[in-house]
Amino acid sequence: MSLRDLYPMPDIDPAWTVPQEFDAVFDWEFDEGRMSLMHLYQKGKDMQWDAVERIDWSQDIDFENPMQMPDEANGLYGSPIWEKMDEKERIEVRRHMQAWNISQFLQGEQAALLCASKIVQQVPDLDSKFYASTQVMDEARHVEAYKKLLEKFGVAYPMTGPLQELVDQALRDSRWDMTYLAMQVVIEGLALAAFGTIRDIAQNPLARQVNAFVMEDEARHVAFGRLTLRDYYPELSDAERAEREEFLVEACYLMRDRMTDASEMYEALDLNQKECKEWTEKSEIVQLYRQLLFQRIVPIVKDIGLWGAPVRNAYEDMGVLHFQDLDPEELQKDDEAKAKDFDARSAYVNAVAGTGAAAE
């Protein structure tokens, strides 16, 4: 099935072409590399998994609430728009809203696939090329997993404009570290927080499982960006570092202010876009969600050294500066532990099912 067939709007282009200009760099030294990155590379190899085998795709979703999310997590909940809807209309809003979220995850994973392959070509160090090559495989697997999940929804959406804008910048910039900064820090960091919301709040086992396993990989990807940029940014001049900080602030505001804008979904559902946007902008759940999106980014940004006054002031303005005290390595360990918990539950269920079948 082509996912494009599930888009509720007609005439979506079948492809998006982004012109690029950068040098493909070969490393003739073939040295042993940095221990931290080579350890991450080994971990990336060891933790490869098969989306077909590890996830039980026989699990179904509820058409009326695919991921079994509480209505309170819906930005329109409690609005006059929501109150006027009958139950049939609310079912469609739940399904489309959850499909829109998962669609952005899928679209972001394909963007990460292209950015990781660009990093393999462009980054000068062989150890970074090695790890980025494992990320390319990870991202392909994530695209596969989210596509299979979206097919169960029966509806999907193309990449939203703000995400496309940031991806475009990540792919077009000829400097390898800007691709890292846009993708490995901002987009992957936001994704981790968004995935975690579904993993921890949704009640549908399949949706939780997919997000938990993807998060296990994404936590390594963010660590890769953190380790590489932490070594590189001290080498930059003050002017070069200021330029990165300016880009970072603009990217964070872009994602905060517009990433939750689902105008195309409101249009597909024949809802008043202006009213929907005005309500969601003010809703407590959207305000909280926008803050939580930055819990992975802020400690990473501080760790890599882009911590000048403009960045700190921006995060204080967003109300997310307190996330600077979180430990990125502890967050990564927690993501890995929760993924293992899902594996253990699946193994237990299979063992019980096997015992029951044998008894018959």
Side-chain angles (χ1 to χ4, degrees), residues 60-81:
D60 213 344
I61 62 172
D62 179 359
F63 180 83
E64 297 187 0
N65 187 355
M67 296 192 292
Q68 294 173 255
M69 296 285 284
D71 281 339
E72 290 80 0
N74 170 355
L76 292 177
Y77 179 76
S79 68
I81 305 163

Side-chain angles (χ1 to χ4, degrees), residues 67-227:
M67 296 192 292
Q68 294 173 255
M69 296 285 284
D71 281 339
E72 290 80 0
N74 170 355
L76 292 177
Y77 179 76
S79 68
I81 305 163
W82 179 262
E83 295 302 325
K84 290 178 185 176
M85 294 178 186
D86 59 29
E87 187 55 28
K88 183 178 179 181
E89 290 171 325
R90 289 179 180 180
I91 287 171
E92 278 300 279
V93 168
R94 290 187 196 106
R95 188 168 71 96
H96 277 254
M97 189 166 288
Q98 292 177 31
W100 184 86
N101 275 322
I102 296 297
S103 295
Q104 300 317 309
F105 294 173
L106 168 66
Q107 305 293 354
E109 294 301 326
Q110 182 174 189
L113 171 67
L114 296 180
C115 284
S117 63
K118 180 186 178 206
I119 287 171
V120 172
Q121 296 183 70
Q122 194 179 15
V123 75
D125 305 308
L126 195 63
D127 50 6
S128 294
K129 292 180 186 292
F130 277 8
Y131 180 76
S133 70
T134 70
Q135 183 175 340
V136 171
M137 186 62 204
D138 289 345
E139 305 298 3
R141 181 170 59 247
H142 300 168
V143 171
E144 176 188 8
Y146 280 126
K147 178 180 182 290
K148 291 173 74 69
L149 180 61
L150 269 175
E151 286 172 348
K152 290 180 174 283
F153 283 65
V155 63
Y157 282 87
M159 185 182 291
T160 192
L163 179 58
Q164 190 167 351
E165 183 179 337
L166 186 53
V167 170
D168 184 78
Q169 293 179 54
L171 289 172
R172 285 177 184 269
D173 201 298
S174 61
R175 296 163 295 184
W176 63 263
D177 75 285
M178 295 297 282
T179 303
Y180 273 85
L181 187 57
M183 178 54 64
Q184 307 291 91
V185 176
V186 178
I187 296 177
E188 298 271 30
L190 287 170
L192 269 176
F195 298 160
T197 301
I198 294 174
R199 181 196 65 189
D200 298 339
I201 296 178
Q203 296 302 306
N204 178 265
L206 178 59
R208 295 184 70 199
Q209 193 176 43
V210 170
N211 282 280
F213 293 159
V214 169
M215 284 185 74
E216 182 181 34
D217 293 340
E218 298 292 5
R220 291 198 312 276
H221 303 168
V222 173
F224 170 47
R226 178 172 65 90
L227 292 171

Side-chain angles (χ1 to χ4, degrees), residues 232-247:
Y232 179 66
Y233 281 157
E235 300 176 5
L236 299 183
S237 67
D238 290 344
E240 289 172 326
R241 198 153 39 248
E243 183 181 6
R244 270 70 173 176
E245 291 187 354
E246 180 181 1
F247 167 79

